Amino acid sequence: MSGFDAAAFLAALPWTGGAVAAVAAGAFAVARAAGRRNVVDTAWGLFFVAAEHWPGVLTIPAPLIMTYLLTFGSGQRNLERTLSRRPGYREYMQRTSGFFPWPARPGRRPS
């Protein structure tokens, strides 16, 4: 048995303008914040489970704060400020939605 050759694996990836082409497929083809979106969806899901009983309704600030921080607060803005310096990322930002899953904008299909 041979070991895993990380260098060969990375060399075989389809690099396009400095970004892996896989980013333009799947969940990241319709929203740049797929991971943050999952965290927010989980927070809201837990709130709805808790809100089944009256004391659980009082937890509404938790998903609201989580949504705000990950969309308008530190999460997305800081990350995209750093990533926008990478080649091709600004074009990726123009064709995909920032947070909510949405089809690619017309005229800007992923390659």
Side-chain angles (χ1 to χ4, degrees):
M1 278 189 127
S2 64
F4 176 71
D5 186 3
F9 174 76
L10 291 173
L13 288 175
W15 295 93
T16 313
V20 179
V23 171
F28 292 99
V30 293
R32 293 186 306 274
R36 290 183 296 274
R37 178 62 195 224
N38 290 339
V39 171
V40 169
D41 288 347
T42 301
W44 279 102
L46 290 172
F47 164 72
F48 288 126
V49 169
E52 183 177 354
H53 302 288
W54 167 241
V57 175
L58 300 176
T59 64
I60 186 67
L64 289 172
I65 291 169
M66 182 73 68
T67 303
Y68 174 77
L69 288 177
L70 290 176
T71 55
F72 304 109
S74 61
Q76 189 168 355
R77 286 186 181 176
N78 285 341
L79 180 64
E80 289 192 342
R81 185 179 312 127
T82 304
L83 291 176
S84 65
R85 296 183 206 134
R86 294 184 179 184
Y89 196 79
R90 287 192 188 271
E91 293 81 16
Y92 174 65
M93 287 174 61
Q94 290 175 350
R95 79 172 172 262
T96 57
S97 172
F99 188 74
F100 296 101
W102 201 255
R105 294 193 175 101
R108 299 213 180 241
R109 291 284 173 206
S111 52

